[in-house]
Amino acid sequence: QEQLVESGGGTVQAGGSLRLSCAASGRTISTYAMGWFRQAPGREREFVVGIIWSGVNTGYTDSVKGRFTISRDNAKSTVYLQMNQLKPEDSGVYFCAASAQAIHLMQGSVEYWGQGTQVTVSS
């Protein structure tokens, strides 16, 4: 079964760090571009960051550049999101996502979604 499972969310003070993990299961999804979206209460879901299967190309939304870093370990079929210098506005539910083409992922044309993990940043 093709699926994504997130972990690593929690509560952290502003300026702190969290590392999210997304484990992929399935032969097809393991070769896909993967990334993260987030959704705050009352806000629409937004693209945060994506990475292609080789890891050589990444794309970040401007608000997290210099603070967040995405990486992947294909041997473990796992994508990581290291989040540093967290701000209260980073709070929300973070969803792992996968699509065959990176550009489609960035545009929100997602083929597979994880269930989400909550990130709360206190001031």
Side-chain angles (χ1 to χ4, degrees), residues 55-94:
V56 300
N57 293 111
T58 59
Y60 296 81
T61 192
D62 286 343
S63 64
V64 307
K65 289 180 179 177
R67 299 188 297 118
F68 290 12
T69 303
I70 191 170
S71 61
R72 68 189 300 168
D73 183 344
N74 288 338
K76 298 181 178 179
S77 298
T78 300
V79 170
Y80 304 96
L81 181 61
Q82 180 66 46
M83 305 186 295
N84 298 324
Q85 304 173 52
L86 282 162
K87 305 175 181 179
E89 53 262 43
D90 294 318
S91 297
V93 178
Y94 282 68

PDB file of all heavy atoms in Angstrom, residues 55-94:
ATOM      1  N   GLY A  55      17.420  14.162  -4.450  1.00  0.00           N
ATOM      2  CA  GLY A  55      17.800  15.118  -3.431  1.00  0.00           C
ATOM      3  C   GLY A  55      18.609  16.298  -3.928  1.00  0.00           C
ATOM      4  O   GLY A  55      18.934  17.186  -3.128  1.00  0.00           O
ATOM      5  N   VAL A  56      18.928  16.351  -5.233  1.00  0.00           N
ATOM      6  CA  VAL A  56      19.801  17.407  -5.740  1.00  0.00           C
ATOM      7  C   VAL A  56      19.062  18.709  -6.012  1.00  0.00           C
ATOM      8  O   VAL A  56      19.703  19.747  -6.199  1.00  0.00           O
ATOM      9  CB  VAL A  56      20.544  16.963  -7.006  1.00  0.00           C
ATOM     10  CG1 VAL A  56      21.400  15.746  -6.718  1.00  0.00           C
ATOM     11  CG2 VAL A  56      19.573  16.675  -8.143  1.00  0.00           C
ATOM     12  N   ASN A  57      17.753  18.672  -6.054  1.00  0.00           N
ATOM     13  CA  ASN A  57      16.965  19.873  -6.285  1.00  0.00           C
ATOM     14  C   ASN A  57      15.924  20.020  -5.190  1.00  0.00           C
ATOM     15  O   ASN A  57      15.203  19.067  -4.888  1.00  0.00           O
ATOM     16  CB  ASN A  57      16.274  19.845  -7.645  1.00  0.00           C
ATOM     17  CG  ASN A  57      17.236  19.912  -8.804  1.00  0.00           C
ATOM     18  OD1 ASN A  57      17.404  18.947  -9.542  1.00  0.00           O
ATOM     19  ND2 ASN A  57      17.885  21.055  -8.962  1.00  0.00           N
ATOM     20  N   THR A  58      15.854  21.209  -4.640  1.00  0.00           N
ATOM     21  CA  THR A  58      14.878  21.516  -3.611  1.00  0.00           C
ATOM     22  C   THR A  58      14.233  22.856  -3.910  1.00  0.00           C
ATOM     23  O   THR A  58      14.787  23.685  -4.628  1.00  0.00           O
ATOM     24  CB  THR A  58      15.510  21.564  -2.215  1.00  0.00           C
ATOM     25  OG1 THR A  58      16.548  22.554  -2.192  1.00  0.00           O
ATOM     26  CG2 THR A  58      16.101  20.213  -1.843  1.00  0.00           C
ATOM     27  N   GLY A  59      13.071  23.069  -3.342  1.00  0.00           N
ATOM     28  CA  GLY A  59      12.390  24.341  -3.470  1.00  0.00           C
ATOM     29  C   GLY A  59      11.703  24.705  -2.178  1.00  0.00           C
ATOM     30  O   GLY A  59      11.021  23.869  -1.576  1.00  0.00           O
ATOM     31  N   TYR A  60      11.869  25.953  -1.747  1.00  0.00           N
ATOM     32  CA  TYR A  60      11.334  26.432  -0.482  1.00  0.00           C
ATOM     33  C   TYR A  60      10.455  27.646  -0.701  1.00  0.00           C
ATOM     34  O   TYR A  60      10.764  28.504  -1.540  1.00  0.00           O
ATOM     35  CB  TYR A  60      12.447  26.847   0.476  1.00  0.00           C
ATOM     36  CG  TYR A  60      13.374  25.747   0.914  1.00  0.00           C
ATOM     37  CD1 TYR A  60      14.425  25.331   0.114  1.00  0.00           C
ATOM     38  CD2 TYR A  60      13.215  25.138   2.155  1.00  0.00           C
ATOM     39  CE1 TYR A  60      15.288  24.330   0.527  1.00  0.00           C
ATOM     40  CE2 TYR A  60      14.078  24.141   2.576  1.00  0.00           C
ATOM     41  CZ  TYR A  60      15.118  23.736   1.753  1.00  0.00           C
ATOM     42  OH  TYR A  60      15.976  22.748   2.173  1.00  0.00           O
ATOM     43  N   THR A  61       9.400  27.742   0.081  1.00  0.00           N
ATOM     44  CA  THR A  61       8.656  28.981   0.096  1.00  0.00           C
ATOM     45  C   THR A  61       9.497  30.037   0.806  1.00  0.00           C
ATOM     46  O   THR A  61      10.302  29.723   1.680  1.00  0.00           O
ATOM     47  CB  THR A  61       7.292  28.796   0.786  1.00  0.00           C
ATOM     48  OG1 THR A  61       6.469  29.936   0.551  1.00  0.00           O
ATOM     49  CG2 THR A  61       7.452  28.596   2.279  1.00  0.00           C
ATOM     50  N   ASP A  62       9.329  31.296   0.408  1.00  0.00           N
ATOM     51  CA  ASP A  62      10.220  32.353   0.878  1.00  0.00           C
ATOM     52  C   ASP A  62      10.239  32.500   2.394  1.00  0.00           C
ATOM     53  O   ASP A  62      11.270  32.828   2.980  1.00  0.00           O
ATOM     54  CB  ASP A  62       9.827  33.694   0.251  1.00  0.00           C
ATOM     55  CG  ASP A  62      10.213  33.794  -1.211  1.00  0.00           C
ATOM     56  OD1 ASP A  62      11.051  32.998  -1.668  1.00  0.00           O
ATOM     57  OD2 ASP A  62       9.683  34.691  -1.892  1.00  0.00           O
ATOM     58  N   SER A  63       9.135  32.259   3.043  1.00  0.00           N
ATOM     59  CA  SER A  63       9.034  32.510   4.471  1.00  0.00           C
ATOM     60  C   SER A  63       9.887  31.574   5.322  1.00  0.00           C
ATOM     61  O   SER A  63      10.128  31.871   6.492  1.00  0.00           O
ATOM     62  CB  SER A  63       7.577  32.429   4.929  1.00  0.00           C
ATOM     63  OG  SER A  63       7.058  31.128   4.758  1.00  0.00           O
ATOM     64  N   VAL A  64      10.356  30.457   4.758  1.00  0.00           N
ATOM     65  CA  VAL A  64      11.142  29.512   5.543  1.00  0.00           C
ATOM     66  C   VAL A  64      12.582  29.395   5.062  1.00  0.00           C
ATOM     67  O   VAL A  64      13.372  28.670   5.677  1.00  0.00           O
ATOM     68  CB  VAL A  64      10.499  28.114   5.570  1.00  0.00           C
ATOM     69  CG1 VAL A  64       9.050  28.197   6.028  1.00  0.00           C
ATOM     70  CG2 VAL A  64      10.594  27.428   4.208  1.00  0.00           C
ATOM     71  N   LYS A  65      12.939  30.091   4.012  1.00  0.00           N
ATOM     72  CA  LYS A  65      14.298  30.014   3.496  1.00  0.00           C
ATOM     73  C   LYS A  65      15.301  30.471   4.548  1.00  0.00           C
ATOM     74  O   LYS A  65      15.112  31.490   5.203  1.00  0.00           O
ATOM     75  CB  LYS A  65      14.444  30.868   2.232  1.00  0.00           C
ATOM     76  CG  LYS A  65      13.744  30.298   1.022  1.00  0.00           C
ATOM     77  CD  LYS A  65      13.921  31.190  -0.201  1.00  0.00           C
ATOM     78  CE  LYS A  65      13.225  30.598  -1.413  1.00  0.00           C
ATOM     79  NZ  LYS A  65      13.322  31.486  -2.595  1.00  0.00           N
ATOM     80  N   GLY A  66      16.364  29.700   4.700  1.00  0.00           N
ATOM     81  CA  GLY A  66      17.380  29.998   5.691  1.00  0.00           C
ATOM     82  C   GLY A  66      17.093  29.435   7.056  1.00  0.00           C
ATOM     83  O   GLY A  66      17.980  29.449   7.921  1.00  0.00           O
ATOM     84  N   ARG A  67      15.873  28.938   7.276  1.00  0.00           N
ATOM     85  CA  ARG A  67      15.505  28.377   8.570  1.00  0.00           C
ATOM     86  C   ARG A  67      15.164  26.885   8.490  1.00  0.00           C
ATOM     87  O   ARG A  67      15.453  26.139   9.416  1.00  0.00           O
ATOM     88  CB  ARG A  67      14.310  29.125   9.162  1.00  0.00           C
ATOM     89  CG  ARG A  67      14.580  30.602   9.397  1.00  0.00           C
ATOM     90  CD  ARG A  67      13.432  31.258  10.167  1.00  0.00           C
ATOM     91  NE  ARG A  67      12.179  31.213   9.418  1.00  0.00           N
ATOM     92  CZ  ARG A  67      11.081  30.592   9.827  1.00  0.00           C
ATOM     93  NH1 ARG A  67      11.064  29.954  10.996  1.00  0.00           N
ATOM     94  NH2 ARG A  67       9.976  30.618   9.079  1.00  0.00           N
ATOM     95  N   PHE A  68      14.531  26.480   7.398  1.00  0.00           N
ATOM     96  CA  PHE A  68      14.126  25.089   7.219  1.00  0.00           C
ATOM     97  C   PHE A  68      15.036  24.415   6.200  1.00  0.00           C
ATOM     98  O   PHE A  68      15.464  25.041   5.223  1.00  0.00           O
ATOM     99  CB  PHE A  68      12.688  24.999   6.706  1.00  0.00           C
ATOM    100  CG  PHE A  68      11.618  25.397   7.681  1.00  0.00           C
ATOM    101  CD1 PHE A  68      11.916  26.051   8.866  1.00  0.00           C
ATOM    102  CD2 PHE A  68      10.294  25.104   7.394  1.00  0.00           C
ATOM    103  CE1 PHE A  68      10.922  26.419   9.759  1.00  0.00           C
ATOM    104  CE2 PHE A  68       9.290  25.462   8.277  1.00  0.00           C
ATOM    105  CZ  PHE A  68       9.598  26.118   9.452  1.00  0.00           C
ATOM    106  N   THR A  69      15.295  23.132   6.404  1.00  0.00           N
ATOM    107  CA  THR A  69      16.086  22.348   5.474  1.00  0.00           C
ATOM    108  C   THR A  69      15.427  20.993   5.259  1.00  0.00           C
ATOM    109  O   THR A  69      15.141  20.281   6.221  1.00  0.00           O
ATOM    110  CB  THR A  69      17.519  22.128   5.983  1.00  0.00           C
ATOM    111  OG1 THR A  69      18.144  23.392   6.225  1.00  0.00           O
ATOM    112  CG2 THR A  69      18.337  21.363   4.952  1.00  0.00           C
ATOM    113  N   ILE A  70      15.204  20.646   4.000  1.00  0.00           N
ATOM    114  CA  ILE A  70      14.639  19.345   3.671  1.00  0.00           C
ATOM    115  C   ILE A  70      15.750  18.420   3.189  1.00  0.00           C
ATOM    116  O   ILE A  70      16.699  18.858   2.529  1.00  0.00           O
ATOM    117  CB  ILE A  70      13.520  19.462   2.618  1.00  0.00           C
ATOM    118  CG1 ILE A  70      12.766  18.135   2.485  1.00  0.00           C
ATOM    119  CG2 ILE A  70      14.069  19.925   1.278  1.00  0.00           C
ATOM    120  CD1 ILE A  70      11.498  18.231   1.639  1.00  0.00           C
ATOM    121  N   SER A  71      15.637  17.152   3.518  1.00  0.00           N
ATOM    122  CA  SER A  71      16.575  16.149   3.047  1.00  0.00           C
ATOM    123  C   SER A  71      15.840  14.820   2.938  1.00  0.00           C
ATOM    124  O   SER A  71      14.725  14.676   3.446  1.00  0.00           O
ATOM    125  CB  SER A  71      17.773  16.023   3.989  1.00  0.00           C
ATOM    126  OG  SER A  71      17.365  15.625   5.286  1.00  0.00           O
ATOM    127  N   ARG A  72      16.462  13.865   2.263  1.00  0.00           N
ATOM    128  CA  ARG A  72      15.838  12.551   2.183  1.00  0.00           C
ATOM    129  C   ARG A  72      16.885  11.454   2.225  1.00  0.00           C
ATOM    130  O   ARG A  72      18.014  11.615   1.751  1.00  0.00           O
ATOM    131  CB  ARG A  72      14.945  12.427   0.946  1.00  0.00           C
ATOM    132  CG  ARG A  72      15.642  12.428  -0.395  1.00  0.00           C
ATOM    133  CD  ARG A  72      14.617  12.525  -1.538  1.00  0.00           C
ATOM    134  NE  ARG A  72      13.681  11.411  -1.552  1.00  0.00           N
ATOM    135  CZ  ARG A  72      12.569  11.368  -2.277  1.00  0.00           C
ATOM    136  NH1 ARG A  72      12.226  12.401  -3.043  1.00  0.00           N
ATOM    137  NH2 ARG A  72      11.777  10.300  -2.224  1.00  0.00           N
ATOM    138  N   ASP A  73      16.488  10.350   2.791  1.00  0.00           N
ATOM    139  CA  ASP A  73      17.305   9.155   2.875  1.00  0.00           C
ATOM    140  C   ASP A  73      16.545   8.073   2.129  1.00  0.00           C
ATOM    141  O   ASP A  73      15.616   7.471   2.669  1.00  0.00           O
ATOM    142  CB  ASP A  73      17.546   8.767   4.331  1.00  0.00           C
ATOM    143  CG  ASP A  73      18.450   7.564   4.479  1.00  0.00           C
ATOM    144  OD1 ASP A  73      18.668   6.837   3.495  1.00  0.00           O
ATOM    145  OD2 ASP A  73      18.948   7.345   5.605  1.00  0.00           O
ATOM    146  N   ASN A  74      16.928   7.838   0.887  1.00  0.00           N
ATOM    147  CA  ASN A  74      16.177   6.905   0.060  1.00  0.00           C
ATOM    148  C   ASN A  74      16.322   5.459   0.526  1.00  0.00           C
ATOM    149  O   ASN A  74      15.444   4.636   0.264  1.00  0.00           O
ATOM    150  CB  ASN A  74      16.603   7.034  -1.399  1.00  0.00           C
ATOM    151  CG  ASN A  74      16.111   8.318  -2.030  1.00  0.00           C
ATOM    152  OD1 ASN A  74      15.146   8.922  -1.569  1.00  0.00           O
ATOM    153  ND2 ASN A  74      16.771   8.740  -3.098  1.00  0.00           N
ATOM    154  N   ALA A  75      17.423   5.137   1.206  1.00  0.00           N
ATOM    155  CA  ALA A  75      17.580   3.799   1.744  1.00  0.00           C
ATOM    156  C   ALA A  75      16.512   3.507   2.785  1.00  0.00           C
ATOM    157  O   ALA A  75      16.104   2.358   2.962  1.00  0.00           O
ATOM    158  CB  ALA A  75      18.966   3.620   2.348  1.00  0.00           C
ATOM    159  N   LYS A  76      16.064   4.557   3.477  1.00  0.00           N
ATOM    160  CA  LYS A  76      15.016   4.422   4.474  1.00  0.00           C
ATOM    161  C   LYS A  76      13.663   4.892   3.969  1.00  0.00           C
ATOM    162  O   LYS A  76      12.682   4.836   4.713  1.00  0.00           O
ATOM    163  CB  LYS A  76      15.380   5.207   5.736  1.00  0.00           C
ATOM    164  CG  LYS A  76      16.637   4.726   6.436  1.00  0.00           C
ATOM    165  CD  LYS A  76      16.907   5.550   7.685  1.00  0.00           C
ATOM    166  CE  LYS A  76      18.129   5.049   8.421  1.00  0.00           C
ATOM    167  NZ  LYS A  76      18.407   5.863   9.640  1.00  0.00           N
ATOM    168  N   SER A  77      13.623   5.366   2.726  1.00  0.00           N
ATOM    169  CA  SER A  77      12.395   5.917   2.142  1.00  0.00           C
ATOM    170  C   SER A  77      11.779   6.966   3.055  1.00  0.00           C
ATOM    171  O   SER A  77      10.564   6.983   3.280  1.00  0.00           O
ATOM    172  CB  SER A  77      11.389   4.799   1.845  1.00  0.00           C
ATOM    173  OG  SER A  77      11.908   3.897   0.892  1.00  0.00           O
ATOM    174  N   THR A  78      12.626   7.841   3.563  1.00  0.00           N
ATOM    175  CA  THR A  78      12.197   8.826   4.545  1.00  0.00           C
ATOM    176  C   THR A  78      12.684  10.219   4.157  1.00  0.00           C
ATOM    177  O   THR A  78      13.833  10.386   3.737  1.00  0.00           O
ATOM    178  CB  THR A  78      12.715   8.470   5.945  1.00  0.00           C
ATOM    179  OG1 THR A  78      12.210   7.190   6.324  1.00  0.00           O
ATOM    180  CG2 THR A  78      12.268   9.496   6.970  1.00  0.00           C
ATOM    181  N   VAL A  79      11.812  11.192   4.300  1.00  0.00           N
ATOM    182  CA  VAL A  79      12.129  12.597   4.094  1.00  0.00           C
ATOM    183  C   VAL A  79      12.100  13.297   5.442  1.00  0.00           C
ATOM    184  O   VAL A  79      11.229  13.023   6.272  1.00  0.00           O
ATOM    185  CB  VAL A  79      11.140  13.246   3.118  1.00  0.00           C
ATOM    186  CG1 VAL A  79      11.321  14.758   3.078  1.00  0.00           C
ATOM    187  CG2 VAL A  79      11.324  12.669   1.724  1.00  0.00           C
ATOM    188  N   TYR A  80      13.034  14.217   5.634  1.00  0.00           N
ATOM    189  CA  TYR A  80      13.139  14.952   6.881  1.00  0.00           C
ATOM    190  C   TYR A  80      12.974  16.442   6.626  1.00  0.00           C
ATOM    191  O   TYR A  80      13.356  16.961   5.578  1.00  0.00           O
ATOM    192  CB  TYR A  80      14.500  14.720   7.539  1.00  0.00           C
ATOM    193  CG  TYR A  80      14.812  13.270   7.784  1.00  0.00           C
ATOM    194  CD1 TYR A  80      15.575  12.540   6.879  1.00  0.00           C
ATOM    195  CD2 TYR A  80      14.337  12.623   8.920  1.00  0.00           C
ATOM    196  CE1 TYR A  80      15.862  11.205   7.096  1.00  0.00           C
ATOM    197  CE2 TYR A  80      14.618  11.289   9.141  1.00  0.00           C
ATOM    198  CZ  TYR A  80      15.381  10.584   8.231  1.00  0.00           C
ATOM    199  OH  TYR A  80      15.660   9.257   8.458  1.00  0.00           O
ATOM    200  N   LEU A  81      12.417  17.118   7.597  1.00  0.00           N
ATOM    201  CA  LEU A  81      12.335  18.568   7.565  1.00  0.00           C
ATOM    202  C   LEU A  81      12.907  19.097   8.870  1.00  0.00           C
ATOM    203  O   LEU A  81      12.280  18.962   9.925  1.00  0.00           O
ATOM    204  CB  LEU A  81      10.901  19.048   7.381  1.00  0.00           C
ATOM    205  CG  LEU A  81      10.724  20.570   7.317  1.00  0.00           C
ATOM    206  CD1 LEU A  81      11.486  21.154   6.129  1.00  0.00           C
ATOM    207  CD2 LEU A  81       9.247  20.943   7.237  1.00  0.00           C
ATOM    208  N   GLN A  82      14.102  19.666   8.788  1.00  0.00           N
ATOM    209  CA  GLN A  82      14.718  20.297   9.938  1.00  0.00           C
ATOM    210  C   GLN A  82      14.251  21.740   9.998  1.00  0.00           C
ATOM    211  O   GLN A  82      14.480  22.511   9.065  1.00  0.00           O
ATOM    212  CB  GLN A  82      16.245  20.241   9.838  1.00  0.00           C
ATOM    213  CG  GLN A  82      16.970  20.881  11.008  1.00  0.00           C
ATOM    214  CD  GLN A  82      16.746  20.139  12.304  1.00  0.00           C
ATOM    215  OE1 GLN A  82      16.836  18.921  12.346  1.00  0.00           O
ATOM    216  NE2 GLN A  82      16.437  20.878  13.365  1.00  0.00           N
ATOM    217  N   MET A  83      13.606  22.106  11.082  1.00  0.00           N
ATOM    218  CA  MET A  83      13.042  23.435  11.250  1.00  0.00           C
ATOM    219  C   MET A  83      13.764  24.124  12.396  1.00  0.00           C
ATOM    220  O   MET A  83      13.675  23.683  13.545  1.00  0.00           O
ATOM    221  CB  MET A  83      11.542  23.362  11.524  1.00  0.00           C
ATOM    222  CG  MET A  83      10.761  22.596  10.461  1.00  0.00           C
ATOM    223  SD  MET A  83       8.968  22.673  10.712  1.00  0.00           S
ATOM    224  CE  MET A  83       8.829  21.774  12.257  1.00  0.00           C
ATOM    225  N   ASN A  84      14.475  25.192  12.078  1.00  0.00           N
ATOM    226  CA  ASN A  84      15.212  25.967  13.060  1.00  0.00           C
ATOM    227  C   ASN A  84      14.646  27.374  13.143  1.00  0.00           C
ATOM    228  O   ASN A  84      13.923  27.827  12.257  1.00  0.00           O
ATOM    229  CB  ASN A  84      16.695  26.029  12.694  1.00  0.00           C
ATOM    230  CG  ASN A  84      17.365  24.681  12.664  1.00  0.00           C
ATOM    231  OD1 ASN A  84      17.057  23.805  13.471  1.00  0.00           O
ATOM    232  ND2 ASN A  84      18.308  24.505  11.742  1.00  0.00           N
ATOM    233  N   GLN A  85      14.998  28.073  14.213  1.00  0.00           N
ATOM    234  CA  GLN A  85      14.551  29.446  14.421  1.00  0.00           C
ATOM    235  C   GLN A  85      13.044  29.570  14.227  1.00  0.00           C
ATOM    236  O   GLN A  85      12.557  30.475  13.548  1.00  0.00           O
ATOM    237  CB  GLN A  85      15.287  30.391  13.472  1.00  0.00           C
ATOM    238  CG  GLN A  85      16.801  30.327  13.577  1.00  0.00           C
ATOM    239  CD  GLN A  85      17.489  31.146  12.512  1.00  0.00           C
ATOM    240  OE1 GLN A  85      17.183  32.328  12.332  1.00  0.00           O
ATOM    241  NE2 GLN A  85      18.418  30.539  11.794  1.00  0.00           N
ATOM    242  N   LEU A  86      12.327  28.669  14.842  1.00  0.00           N
ATOM    243  CA  LEU A  86      10.886  28.614  14.651  1.00  0.00           C
ATOM    244  C   LEU A  86      10.199  29.858  15.194  1.00  0.00           C
ATOM    245  O   LEU A  86      10.601  30.419  16.213  1.00  0.00           O
ATOM    246  CB  LEU A  86      10.310  27.371  15.307  1.00  0.00           C
ATOM    247  CG  LEU A  86      10.520  26.088  14.505  1.00  0.00           C
ATOM    248  CD1 LEU A  86      10.330  24.869  15.383  1.00  0.00           C
ATOM    249  CD2 LEU A  86       9.563  26.044  13.316  1.00  0.00           C
ATOM    250  N   LYS A  87       9.158  30.268  14.491  1.00  0.00           N
ATOM    251  CA  LYS A  87       8.362  31.432  14.837  1.00  0.00           C
ATOM    252  C   LYS A  87       6.921  31.011  15.090  1.00  0.00           C
ATOM    253  O   LYS A  87       6.470  30.001  14.548  1.00  0.00           O
ATOM    254  CB  LYS A  87       8.395  32.455  13.695  1.00  0.00           C
ATOM    255  CG  LYS A  87       9.787  32.887  13.269  1.00  0.00           C
ATOM    256  CD  LYS A  87       9.720  33.794  12.050  1.00  0.00           C
ATOM    257  CE  LYS A  87      11.105  34.219  11.608  1.00  0.00           C
ATOM    258  NZ  LYS A  87      11.052  35.089  10.401  1.00  0.00           N
ATOM    259  N   PRO A  88       6.175  31.772  15.880  1.00  0.00           N
ATOM    260  CA  PRO A  88       4.768  31.419  16.107  1.00  0.00           C
ATOM    261  C   PRO A  88       3.977  31.253  14.820  1.00  0.00           C
ATOM    262  O   PRO A  88       3.084  30.394  14.758  1.00  0.00           O
ATOM    263  CB  PRO A  88       4.245  32.588  16.945  1.00  0.00           C
ATOM    264  CG  PRO A  88       5.441  33.047  17.706  1.00  0.00           C
ATOM    265  CD  PRO A  88       6.593  32.899  16.736  1.00  0.00           C
ATOM    266  N   GLU A  89       4.285  32.024  13.800  1.00  0.00           N
ATOM    267  CA  GLU A  89       3.566  31.913  12.539  1.00  0.00           C
ATOM    268  C   GLU A  89       3.873  30.634  11.773  1.00  0.00           C
ATOM    269  O   GLU A  89       3.223  30.344  10.769  1.00  0.00           O
ATOM    270  CB  GLU A  89       3.833  33.133  11.643  1.00  0.00           C
ATOM    271  CG  GLU A  89       5.305  33.426  11.430  1.00  0.00           C
ATOM    272  CD  GLU A  89       5.831  34.513  12.352  1.00  0.00           C
ATOM    273  OE1 GLU A  89       5.491  34.494  13.549  1.00  0.00           O
ATOM    274  OE2 GLU A  89       6.588  35.384  11.868  1.00  0.00           O
ATOM    275  N   ASP A  90       4.847  29.860  12.242  1.00  0.00           N
ATOM    276  CA  ASP A  90       5.106  28.547  11.664  1.00  0.00           C
ATOM    277  C   ASP A  90       4.152  27.482  12.188  1.00  0.00           C
ATOM    278  O   ASP A  90       4.155  26.357  11.678  1.00  0.00           O
ATOM    279  CB  ASP A  90       6.538  28.093  11.960  1.00  0.00           C
ATOM    280  CG  ASP A  90       7.586  28.953  11.280  1.00  0.00           C
ATOM    281  OD1 ASP A  90       7.398  29.320  10.102  1.00  0.00           O
ATOM    282  OD2 ASP A  90       8.615  29.249  11.929  1.00  0.00           O
ATOM    283  N   SER A  91       3.360  27.809  13.182  1.00  0.00           N
ATOM    284  CA  SER A  91       2.460  26.835  13.789  1.00  0.00           C
ATOM    285  C   SER A  91       1.416  26.347  12.795  1.00  0.00           C
ATOM    286  O   SER A  91       0.957  27.095  11.937  1.00  0.00           O
ATOM    287  CB  SER A  91       1.761  27.433  15.011  1.00  0.00           C
ATOM    288  OG  SER A  91       2.689  27.771  16.025  1.00  0.00           O
ATOM    289  N   GLY A  92       1.043  25.095  12.941  1.00  0.00           N
ATOM    290  CA  GLY A  92       0.019  24.523  12.097  1.00  0.00           C
ATOM    291  C   GLY A  92       0.198  23.020  11.979  1.00  0.00           C
ATOM    292  O   GLY A  92       1.091  22.440  12.580  1.00  0.00           O
ATOM    293  N   VAL A  93      -0.660  22.413  11.205  1.00  0.00           N
ATOM    294  CA  VAL A  93      -0.538  20.996  10.910  1.00  0.00           C
ATOM    295  C   VAL A  93       0.321  20.842   9.664  1.00  0.00           C
ATOM    296  O   VAL A  93       0.031  21.446   8.626  1.00  0.00           O
ATOM    297  CB  VAL A  93      -1.908  20.334  10.705  1.00  0.00           C
ATOM    298  CG1 VAL A  93      -1.740  18.861  10.354  1.00  0.00           C
ATOM    299  CG2 VAL A  93      -2.768  20.483  11.953  1.00  0.00           C
ATOM    300  N   TYR A  94       1.367  20.067   9.777  1.00  0.00           N
ATOM    301  CA  TYR A  94       2.275  19.832   8.664  1.00  0.00           C
ATOM    302  C   TYR A  94       1.956  18.499   8.018  1.00  0.00           C
ATOM    303  O   TYR A  94       1.900  17.468   8.683  1.00  0.00           O
ATOM    304  CB  TYR A  94       3.723  19.858   9.148  1.00  0.00           C
ATOM    305  CG  TYR A  94       4.246  21.261   9.359  1.00  0.00           C
ATOM    306  CD1 TYR A  94       3.742  22.054  10.376  1.00  0.00           C
ATOM    307  CD2 TYR A  94       5.227  21.793   8.525  1.00  0.00           C
ATOM    308  CE1 TYR A  94       4.200  23.349  10.558  1.00  0.00           C
ATOM    309  CE2 TYR A  94       5.692  23.077   8.705  1.00  0.00           C
ATOM    310  CZ  TYR A  94       5.178  23.859   9.720  1.00  0.00           C
ATOM    311  OH  TYR A  94       5.642  25.140   9.906  1.00  0.00           O
TER     312      TYR A  94
END
